């Protein structure tokens, strides 16, 4: 690469980071311009994983910046430096395994809340199938479950490049299963899954109430388990709390190790902020890290959100990142948690208030003592979070969007007529707000 191209790429990357400050610098390391002609900018990446990731996540930003810089219409392509296009990443399987480049064990901060979960994941990645099988990691949203699961895959791949890994979200598993049925190639689907060394399924709680998917997963599980292949699962609650899940699955989920991730301590939060800042190529002072760690307590996604705001403010105003800037960026106050209230908190507050179990809310029970809290939950989730009707239904026992819609209109109507309901709603919503402070 010539000197001019070299510095053109540097400038390009700087500008891309300005429009999308979340991108960490690691993704942009060791890139090179392979060619730039005829309106096509081809950027070489050190490996296919990176090329694939950049293509999916940064193409638009690169195009926008390249066009602005050159004044021409430019399309951008990422290839791995050995020249192969970024598309198919998994050589062994029909399904590309997309791993997040930042979600490695290296970038994971270990603290009291996640020590055991982390150690178990490391153990599993070192000898898949031999230690804890299955490994079941659970905990509330935003505490690093997905990160750990990706970490297992990265580490296992590092140790053995031939290892055959399949990483799927539960939704991907169900969608592919349905598609396989529709297209009449169920055996191929089954072979794909049953021939892996490590099967990772993220957010397995979404299997609840999906009887046919549960059945299919049961057989996949057995086939892998019998062949001593590793199974790793995550969920937002413990196996027996998932609700509407076949007992035989619940019991299998407990065969290996069930481990939880809990909310991070203050010290862990500070360390995470430091680590995330470092990954994005900026070092921040202890003072600033402490301020951010104090401002976002509920989960780590919120913490990252706060860091992003600070970082973006510094980039757009051209100021250095210091305490004054951090305070100014975060409004001198706690990060608005209004936006980041989680359904999990709402469910927890509601179940506490009505003294019912989470599993009941997610069950098919229709007695008034369960149905009302469930509908209140749906109403609050609709009004306090930005989740879609489908997602809300998913959290409450896999109900469909019309059920959620119905619940919302019913509670809206009730609250205007019924003082008691109105008070209940306001009490529960204020306890939800307190939880996420
Ligand atoms: P979950 O799957 O539990 O909802 P994620 O794995 O998606 O949570 O984590 C949310 C964000 O927080 C991710 O960006 C992840 O990298 C980060 N994160 C969570 N825990 C840690 C940790 N211990 N160290 C570093 N980053 C973390
Ligand atoms: Mg997750």
């Amino acid at each position: 690469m010539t000197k001019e191209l070299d510095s053109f790429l540097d400038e390009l990357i700087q500008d891309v980071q300005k429009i999308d400050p979340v991108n960490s610098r690691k993704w942009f390391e060791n890139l090179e311009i392979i060619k730039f002609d005829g309106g096509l900018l081809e950027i070489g990446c050190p490996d296919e994983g990176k090329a694939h990731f950049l293509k999916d996540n940064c193409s638009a930003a690169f195009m926008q910046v390249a066009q602005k810089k050159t004044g021409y219409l430019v399309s951008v392509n990422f290839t791995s430096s050995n020249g192969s296009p970024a598309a198919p990443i998994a050589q062994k399987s029909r399904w590309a395994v997309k791993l997040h480049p930042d979600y490695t064990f290296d970038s994971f901060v270990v603290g009291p809340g996640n020590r055991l979960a982390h150690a178990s994941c490391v153990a599993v990645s070192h000898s898949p199938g031999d230690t804890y099988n299955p490994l079941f990691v659970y905990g509330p949203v935003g505490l690093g479950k997905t990160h750990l699961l990706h970490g297992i895959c990265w580490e296992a791949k590092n140790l053995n490049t031939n290892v055959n890994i399949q990483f799927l979200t539960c939704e991907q598993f169900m969608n592919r299963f349905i598609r396989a049925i529709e297209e009449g190639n169920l055996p191929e689907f089954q072979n794909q899954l049953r021939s892996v060394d490590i099967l990772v399924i993220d957010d397995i709680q979404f299997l609840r109430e999906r009887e046919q998917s549960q059945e299919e997963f049961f057989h996949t599980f057995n086939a892998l388990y019998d062949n001593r292949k590793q199974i790793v699962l995550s969920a937002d609650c413990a196996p027996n709390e998932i609700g509407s899940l076949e007992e035989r699955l619940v019991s299998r989920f407990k065969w290996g190790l069930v481990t939880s991730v809990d909310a991070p301590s203050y010290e862990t939060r500070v360390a995470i902020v430091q680590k995330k800042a470092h990954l994005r190529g900026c070092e921040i002072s202890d003072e600033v890290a402490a301020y951010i760690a104090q401002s976002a307590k509920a989960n780590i996604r919120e913490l990252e959100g706060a860091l992003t705001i600070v970082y973006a403010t510094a980039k757009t105003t051209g100021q250095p990142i210091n305490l004054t800037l951090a305070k100014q960026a975060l409004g001198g106050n706690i990060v608005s948690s209004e936006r980041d209230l989680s359904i999990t908190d709402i469910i927890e507050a509601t179940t506490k208030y009505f003294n019912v179990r989470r599993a009941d809310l997610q069950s098919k029970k229709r007695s008034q003592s369960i149905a009302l809290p469930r509908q209140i939950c749906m109403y609050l989730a609709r009004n306090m979070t930005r989740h879609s009707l489908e997602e809300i239904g998913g959290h409450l026992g896999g109900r469909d969007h019309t059920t959620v819609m119905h619940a919302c209109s019913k509670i809206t109507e009730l609250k205007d007529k019924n003082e008691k309901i109105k008070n209940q709603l306001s009490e529960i919503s204020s306890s939800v707000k307190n939880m996420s402070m």
Side-chain angles (χ1 to χ4, degrees):
M1 192 163 55
T2 67
K3 261 218 168 95
E4 293 88 81
L5 281 181
D6 219 354
S7 68
F8 177 72
L9 183 60
D10 280 347
E11 288 170 27
L12 206 60
I13 289 174
Q14 269 181 22
D15 286 1
V16 166
Q17 279 197 299
K18 260 186 217 154
I19 53 174
D20 196 357
V22 184
N23 291 325
S24 84
R25 193 163 66 179
K26 207 171 69 183
W27 306 343
F28 302 129
E29 268 164 16
N30 304 321
L31 301 184
E32 54 173 351
I33 292 183
I34 293 181
K35 72 173 183 242
F36 188 12
D37 66 56
L40 176 71
L41 173 63
E42 193 174 324
I43 299 178
C45 311
D47 58 69
E48 276 184 46
K50 238 180 209 168
H52 196 79
F53 190 85
L54 287 170
K55 187 178 171 143
D56 277 357
N57 294 284
C58 303
S59 288
F62 269 92
M63 258 188 268
Q64 188 186 333
V65 171
Q67 280 174 17
K68 210 163 142 201
K69 281 205 168 313
T70 60
Y72 300 112
L73 212 57
V74 178
S75 55
V76 178
N77 196 19
F78 297 94
T79 53
S80 72
S81 289
N82 59 20
S84 56
I89 183 175
Q91 303 85 348
K92 284 196 163 189
S93 93
R94 194 165 65 93
W95 302 326
V97 176
K98 285 189 191 169
L99 294 177
H100 194 302
D102 278 353
Y103 290 179
T104 58
F105 288 148
D106 270 354
S107 64
F108 192 82
V109 175
V110 181
N114 59 30
R115 194 177 307 283
L116 191 62
H118 172 263
S120 329
C121 288
V122 172
V124 158
S125 67
H126 285 213
S127 45
D130 277 342
T131 38
Y132 312 115
N133 205 15
L135 174 63
F136 191 102
V137 184
Y138 75 94
V141 74
L143 296 188
K145 301 182 296 294
T146 299
H147 188 142
L148 282 173
L149 264 45
H150 281 238
I152 294 179
C153 302
W154 283 120
E155 184 73 1
K157 269 178 146 187
N158 276 345
L159 295 170
N160 171 9
T161 45
N162 288 322
V163 69
N164 189 352
I165 300 178
Q166 192 54 251
F167 183 107
L168 295 171
T169 63
C170 189
E171 238 162 325
Q172 285 171 328
F173 171 82
M174 296 189 295
N175 290 341
R176 283 173 187 173
F177 172 53
I178 292 166
R179 207 177 324 139
I181 297 176
E182 282 168 2
E183 292 172 356
N185 45 21
L186 197 55
E188 195 191 331
F189 169 86
Q190 292 169 337
N191 283 340
Q192 284 280 345
L193 284 189
R194 293 175 197 182
S195 60
V196 302
D197 302 310
I198 305 178
L199 175 65
V200 184
I201 303 215
D202 201 6
D203 287 322
I204 196 79
Q205 76 272 6
F206 288 118
L207 269 190
R208 70 166 80 90
E209 301 218 330
R210 303 293 172 96
E211 287 92 4
Q212 224 188 329
S213 298
Q214 287 185 26
E215 170 89 24
E216 183 61 29
F217 184 70
F218 175 75
H219 294 298
T220 307
F221 184 104
N222 290 343
L224 290 172
Y225 188 87
D226 290 345
N227 286 317
R228 302 190 56 176
K229 301 300 185 188
Q230 180 68 46
I231 301 153
V232 182
L233 306 167
S234 80
D236 64 359
C237 58
N240 44 348
E241 286 171 359
I242 293 179
S244 305
L245 194 66
E246 288 181 37
E247 194 44 47
R248 55 183 186 170
L249 277 178
V250 175
S251 75
R252 273 168 180 73
F253 290 173
K254 296 191 278 191
W255 276 356
L257 181 73
V258 176
T259 176
S260 67
V261 285
D262 301 316
S265 63
Y266 169 73
E267 291 77 9
T268 311
R269 294 203 305 277
V270 174
I272 292 174
V273 174
Q274 301 272 27
K275 191 125 214 170
K276 296 281 169 184
H278 180 73
L279 273 174
R280 291 177 197 178
C282 78
E283 303 299 330
I284 57 174
S285 68
D286 293 348
E287 205 180 35
V288 171
Y291 181 74
I292 297 176
Q294 248 162 19
S295 71
K297 296 192 177 122
N299 70 47
I300 295 158
R301 232 171 257 159
E302 210 172 273
L303 207 60
E304 288 193 282
L307 175 63
T308 302
I309 295 171
V310 172
Y311 191 62
T313 310
K315 285 249 164 177
T316 46
T317 61
Q319 292 177 55
I321 298 182
N322 54 31
L323 193 59
T324 319
L325 177 105
K327 282 189 174 159
Q328 176 199 332
L330 299 177
N333 210 329
I334 307 226
V335 185
S336 159
S337 45
E338 201 73 18
R339 203 171 45 103
D340 288 323
L341 293 173
S342 77
I343 295 194
T344 321
D345 288 345
I346 293 174
I347 295 179
E348 199 184 318
T350 313
T351 48
K352 237 190 221 153
Y353 186 89
F354 288 104
N355 198 19
V356 292
R357 291 180 318 142
R358 178 198 180 103
D360 286 332
L361 289 195
Q362 290 165 338
S363 72
K364 287 187 173 155
K365 289 184 193 155
R366 289 184 188 201
S367 61
Q368 186 62 9
S369 63
I370 303 292
L372 183 70
R374 184 186 293 133
Q375 288 172 327
I376 285 185
C377 236
M378 291 177 176
Y379 170 88
L380 290 174
R382 187 62 180 156
N383 286 286
M384 299 177 81
T385 73
R386 288 196 281 187
H387 287 287
S388 66
L389 294 167
E390 284 79 7
E391 283 169 330
I392 295 170
H395 279 271
L396 286 157
R399 291 180 155 76
D400 71 28
H401 70 280
T402 52
T403 312
V404 181
M405 228 154 62
H406 171 74
C408 294
S409 53
K410 184 176 159 197
I411 299 296
T412 309
E413 208 176 288
L414 271 179
K415 109 175 143 29
D416 296 334
K417 293 196 297 219
N418 185 329
E419 199 66 20
K420 189 170 156 208
I421 299 264
K422 195 173 150 192
N423 291 336
Q424 287 175 337
L425 288 173
S426 91
E427 277 179 46
I428 301 170
S429 61
S430 54
S431 72
V432 174
K433 282 179 193 152
N434 285 336
M435 284 162 96
S436 26
M437 298 282 263

